Amino acid sequence: MKERKIGVWNYTAYGLGDVLGAGSMAVISTWVLFFYTTYCNLGPLQAGLIFAAARILDAVASPLIGYLSDHADSTRLGRRFGRRGVFLLIAIPLLPSFGLMWVSGQHFLYYLFTYIFFELVYASVLIPYETLAAEMTDDFRKKGMFAGARILVGHLSAIAATILPAWIVAVLGGADSPDTFLYMGGIFSVVFMLVVAIVYFNTWERKKSEEELAAQMADKSSIGEIFVKLYKGLGSTFKIRAFRLHLGMYLGGYISQDVFNAAFTYFAVFALGALLADSSLDPLSLTSYLMASIFGIQTLAVGAVFACVALLPKFFPALTYRFAVVSYIAGIIGLSSFYHFAPESQTAQISWLAIALIFAGIGRGILNYIPWNTYNYMADVDQIVTGQRREGSFAGVMTFIRKATQASAVFAVGAALEVGGLVKGEKLQTQEVMDSIVLIMTVGPTLVLFFGYYVSTKFNLNTDTHKILMSEIARFKTGERKPSSAEAKSLVEDLTGWDYDKLWGNNELSLKTVISNDKTLGEAK
């Protein structure tokens, strides 16, 4: 692929797309469960059901969007605006739906439908968006730069997402008013529209080869057959070993944060609010500033790793991931132990919390960066297996899994709070409820982090191994079918999970094989 020149503004514009991705998810994971149970007369379990219902629809919608974004250039609109870009343009006028989620005092069905609608709009942007780094370059370092730009901007938007309620309270007053969240939703809706437009006008897509287009146009499947192939294709992404391991690391890092974020809001409002009763901040503002502190430290951590990727000749994601897990667990334990052993001195309290927040922020920042760094190389590993580029399929799987796991985490926290006795709408909770909150915030994230740590010990994609992978792909493109060395053969088989003689489309995952089998079946009929 002959690459266009990528400048600082292209990295920045691409990164801005995660204002929607990370920003909206930060708002939802931090505030929505608290908003529903405090201002909307919903119990924790009712609120959790909203997320569960949305995931059922997502099981169809996200994979379908991924498939369509891979094939939209078969249509006139897709050729005119880009197979990825057409989705971005359609979504822009629909993004104000985010603000509708934050209207208090409505019926359960209102919150169910507004949440589902925004989730669909979100998926229609994020799935095509997540393909763009791999579309714009094949270079390992440039992909790492795109990932770094995305995560840095995402963290800045997450800081805004967590601190904005405190600022709104400071400007407009009404610390206990649900209108704080409505103003926040409106502000973010406008910002979302702006950044998606910037992404559209400052990114581009890889041109498909004539062979790819011919194979795509030759596929005349019915709607039913498309859905069958769609889910087979998405399922086939799990047959790529590096992708399975990548997902394990991704889930370890992100589920732990989803559980922590949902529980930490209650922890700060009820537990820390009681311990820090002398603070001049209301509980909502206190929570905002504490979460913003964590995200601020995360941003610094991401910046440090980003600089390492940009400046150092080698980068080893799995090793860095394991360091992050240890740091995050140390921070979680520090926060939970503060609840049990908080000193009386205000100086000591601030020092204790600061140290815990620093460890948690460093770990979380790196855990956010690593999976999205390694994700950009999954299409390369898949290409050597299938002989195709399937960025859209991988993006569809990633977006579905991200939203499904986040919803599952928030639902689990809601169910645990229900069991723990949380009373909806109450500004004060019992000691038993606060103990349950601390337990949820500590044990849930730690267990998931241990899982991610274990998976990372099996993950071998790094700067050096990616070069070997790309070299073997180049050999396949020239017609070579033998490995360049025994080391290259072993490495590629480790990354893909396939024997070398089954690579480059010589397997059931290849589009050529699927079309050939379909033709054979048609002739038999």
Side-chain angles (χ1 to χ4, degrees):
M1 176 175 69
K2 185 178 180 180
E3 293 189 359
R4 294 167 57 176
K5 184 178 180 180
I6 300 172
V8 173
W9 177 243
N10 299 115
Y11 289 118
T12 304
Y14 173 79
L16 285 172
D18 215 37
V19 171
L20 171 61
S24 64
M25 290 298 103
V27 173
I28 288 171
S29 65
T30 303
W31 296 116
V32 77
L33 188 61
F34 178 78
F35 176 76
Y36 284 162
T37 58
T38 305
Y39 300 111
C40 304
N41 199 35
L42 299 181
L45 193 57
Q46 280 182 302
L49 287 174
I50 292 175
F51 304 108
R55 295 294 73 77
I56 295 173
L57 183 60
D58 227 19
V60 175
S62 286
L64 181 60
I65 292 170
Y67 175 87
L68 293 175
S69 74
D70 275 342
H71 297 80
D73 47 5
S74 298
T75 68
R76 183 180 302 174
L77 284 176
R79 289 190 293 271
R80 172 67 178 84
F81 298 105
R83 61 184 180 278
R84 317 297 184 187
V86 67
F87 287 88
L88 306 185
L89 289 177
I90 291 172
I92 289 174
L94 302 177
L95 286 168
S97 58
F98 182 76
L100 298 177
M101 294 171 52
W102 305 95
V103 179
S104 63
Q106 303 300 309
H107 192 271
F108 170 81
L109 290 177
Y110 175 87
Y111 297 110
L112 174 64
F113 287 122
T114 53
Y115 181 81
I116 287 176
F117 185 79
F118 174 72
E119 286 280 290
L120 291 175
V121 176
Y122 173 94
S124 70
V125 174
L126 261 290
I127 292 172
Y129 166 74
E130 287 169 359
T131 70
L132 292 175
E135 292 271 15
M136 295 168 72
T137 182
D138 286 332
D139 185 84
F140 186 95
R141 188 177 300 277
K142 290 178 181 178
K143 287 181 180 179
M145 295 283 284
F146 275 121
R150 173 182 181 176
I151 298 299
L152 277 173
V153 172
H155 275 75
L156 292 174
S157 67
I159 293 172
T162 51
I163 205 171
L164 193 55
W167 287 351
I168 293 172
V169 168
V171 173
L172 301 178
D176 293 326
S177 173
D179 290 342
T180 297
F181 295 96
L182 180 59
Y183 294 137
M184 177 184 66
I187 292 170
F188 269 105
S189 294
V190 174
V191 173
F192 291 160
M193 296 172 71
L194 177 62
V195 296
V196 172
I198 292 174
V199 171
Y200 174 78
F201 287 110
N202 294 277
T203 58
W204 57 85
E205 303 168 10
R206 177 183 59 88
K207 298 297 183 182
K208 289 184 177 179
S209 67
E210 292 183 5
E211 182 182 20
E212 288 177 301
L213 288 172
Q216 180 175 305
M217 298 302 292
D219 189 6
K220 304 295 184 182
S221 303
S222 66
I223 294 296
E225 290 170 334
I226 286 175
F227 267 98
V228 171
K229 291 178 183 178
L230 168 62
Y231 283 96
K232 284 183 178 179
L234 293 174
S236 72
T237 62
F238 293 99
K239 295 184 179 181
I240 306 300
R241 184 172 186 268
F243 185 61
R244 295 196 302 271
L245 296 174
H246 157 78
L247 283 178
M249 295 166 61
Y250 176 73
L251 295 178
Y254 275 78
I255 293 178
S256 63
Q257 294 181 66
D258 291 333
V259 173
F260 179 90
N261 290 353
F264 185 80
T265 305
Y266 293 92
F267 173 75
V269 169
F270 299 122
L272 290 186
L275 290 172
L276 305 176
D278 295 334
S279 172
S280 61
L281 296 173
D282 62 273
L284 180 61
S285 297
L286 174 64
T287 305
S288 291
Y289 285 119
L290 287 173
M291 283 302 296
S293 298
I294 292 178
F295 281 114
I297 297 165
Q298 287 180 214
T299 305
L300 295 176
V302 170
V305 179
F306 186 25
C308 290
V309 173
L311 301 175
L312 297 180
K314 297 181 184 294
F315 180 63
F316 299 92
L319 181 63
T320 311
Y321 181 95
R322 292 194 287 275
F323 166 80
V325 167
V326 174
S327 179
Y328 189 17
I329 290 176
I332 293 173
I333 293 174
L335 289 169
S336 60
S337 61
F338 178 86
Y339 170 73
H340 293 290
F341 308 107
E344 294 183 3
S345 166
Q346 188 176 36
T347 302
Q349 289 178 350
I350 293 173
S351 299
W352 189 324
L353 284 175
I355 293 172
L357 291 174
I358 288 171
F359 274 98
I362 290 173
R364 285 163 58 101
I366 298 173
L367 289 174
N368 281 349
Y369 177 80
I370 295 299
W372 286 113
N373 173 275
T374 57
Y375 163 75
N376 287 329
Y377 314 115
M378 293 302 107
D380 297 333
V381 182
D382 179 69
Q383 184 181 16
I384 202 170
V385 176
T386 64
Q388 309 163 52
R389 301 291 300 188
R390 298 193 299 165
E391 290 90 348
S393 294
F394 283 94
V397 172
M398 286 290 289
T399 300
F400 170 69
I401 287 178
R402 171 72 189 118
K403 294 200 295 182
T405 53
Q406 184 193 47
S408 300
V410 175
F411 175 80
V413 171
L417 290 171
E418 184 93 13
V419 173
L422 182 80
V423 181
K424 62 184 180 181
E426 291 293 329
K427 300 297 189 295
L428 295 174
Q429 300 290 336
T430 65
Q431 185 65 46
E432 289 74 17
V433 171
M434 291 192 288
D435 289 339
S436 298
I437 291 169
V438 175
L439 187 65
I440 294 167
M441 187 187 76
T442 306
V443 176
T446 301
L447 290 176
V448 183
L449 287 167
F450 279 137
F451 168 75
Y453 186 100
Y454 170 76
V455 171
S456 73
T457 63
K458 311 293 182 183
F459 189 79
N460 295 317
L461 186 62
N462 55 54
T463 314
D464 295 337
T465 57
H466 183 260
K467 288 180 181 178
I468 296 173
L469 173 70
M470 297 307 293
S471 176
E472 293 302 298
I473 289 176
R475 288 170 56 81
F476 275 115
K477 287 181 177 179
T478 62
E480 293 285 346
R481 293 296 179 266
K482 298 294 182 182
S484 58
S485 66
E487 178 190 7
K489 177 177 182 293
S490 176
L491 169 68
V492 170
E493 290 181 342
D494 175 77
L495 294 177
T496 63
W498 290 77
D499 292 336
Y500 200 94
D501 59 4
K502 296 291 185 181
L503 301 179
W504 205 249
N506 190 28
N507 54 69
E508 67 271 20
L509 303 188
S510 170
L511 179 61
K512 296 176 185 177
T513 304
V514 171
I515 291 175
S516 176
N517 290 341
D518 288 347
K519 287 181 177 179
T520 302
L521 181 61
E523 291 171 359
K525 289 181 179 180

